[in-house]
Amino acid sequence: MKVAPSLLSCDFAKMGEEVVRIDKAGADWIHLDVMDGHFVPNITIGPAIVKAVRQYTQLPFDVHLMIDYPLDYIDAFADAGADIITFHLEAQSEPDMTIEKIHERGIKAGVVIKPETPAEAVYPYLDRVYMVLVMTVQPGFGGQAFMADMMPKVTAIKKEAARRGIDILVEVDGGISEKTVAAAAKAGVDIVVSGTGVFKAEDPERAIEFLKNSDK
Ligand code: DX5
Ligand code: ZN
């Protein structure tokens, strides 16, 4: 299992140091939550911050766009140093055009679904994306409770991809901690995002290690 700590739970005044701290603690990717105050009722970071923290680590940047018009911002996040860009199928941009634009910039693309969106919504894109992100909370805020009832969506997506001979990564985001990760591991999740579970842990290194080994 790979672990992508979410910077949403770090100390925003020391973001560079926080990235270094979590890199040293064993993070596989860095998850960056971009919110526009429209798609979700919260505003977080934009491309300038992504670019500013880029110099603090070599780890892949997993940029999660929770914005109404992702297509309009692909260039900005590509320039800022994103390695993977995921966008919501519930957003306003046309998914195929958005995936194409991400690929044009040499970046890996992923589609995200909110809790109320069925697994089938991602099926048309499985042959074109690197990753599917299944939200396990309502997007917008860190520290919410994990929705275990999203796990059948993970198994369904994995099964559909296998049936079509497609190699795809499934990521889950929201409420992942040492207490909840077992359900995700059992469902076959490849990457877990964890904000509070890692940044607010007494020992982030141990927390990351625990999450990493949860599928062993
Ligand atoms: C929620 C964000 C998550 C969030 C997860 O909208 O997409 O990445 O930071 O935080 P925790 O792990 O605290 O639920
Ligand atoms: Zn996220």
Side-chain angles (χ1 to χ4, degrees), residues 6 8 31-35 64 66 133 135 171 173-174 193:
S6 163
L8 194 58
H31 185 84
L32 298 108
D33 289 300
V34 177
M35 307 185 190
H64 176 194
M66 285 161 274
L133 169 49
M135 291 306 298
E171 181 177 56
D173 182 5
V193 174

Side-chain angles (χ1 to χ4, degrees), residues 29 62 64 84-87 89 99 109-114 117-135 153-154 156-158 160-161 166-173 188-193:
W29 296 355
D62 171 27
H64 176 194
I84 303 148
I85 296 181
T86 62
F87 66 93
L89 289 180
I99 292 167
V111 287
V112 193
I113 49 171
K114 296 211 280 186
T117 304
E120 291 75 23
V122 307
Y123 292 179
Y125 311 103
L126 286 181
D127 59 347
R128 260 157 291 166
V129 294
Y130 173 71
M131 183 165 84
V132 171
L133 169 49
V134 175
M135 291 306 298
K153 295 205 295 196
V154 171
I157 292 163
K158 283 258 159 194
E160 173 67 8
I166 298 168
D167 211 10
I168 200 153
L169 297 177
V170 177
E171 181 177 56
V172 289
D173 182 5
V189 164
D190 303 287
I191 306 124
V192 287
V193 174

Side-chain angles (χ1 to χ4, degrees), residues 11-56:
D11 181 344
F12 270 40
K14 299 183 182 150
M15 218 174 237
E17 289 165 44
E18 290 284 78
V19 168
V20 171
R21 174 165 80 97
I22 225 66
D23 180 335
K24 283 193 184 138
D28 294 294
W29 296 355
I30 303 290
H31 185 84
L32 298 108
D33 289 300
V34 177
M35 307 185 190
D36 66 353
H38 290 270
F39 184 75
V40 288
N42 193 7
I43 302 179
T44 54
I45 62 165
I49 305 291
V50 175
K51 191 176 177 193
V53 293
R54 182 65 279 190
Q55 60 188 298
Y56 289 89

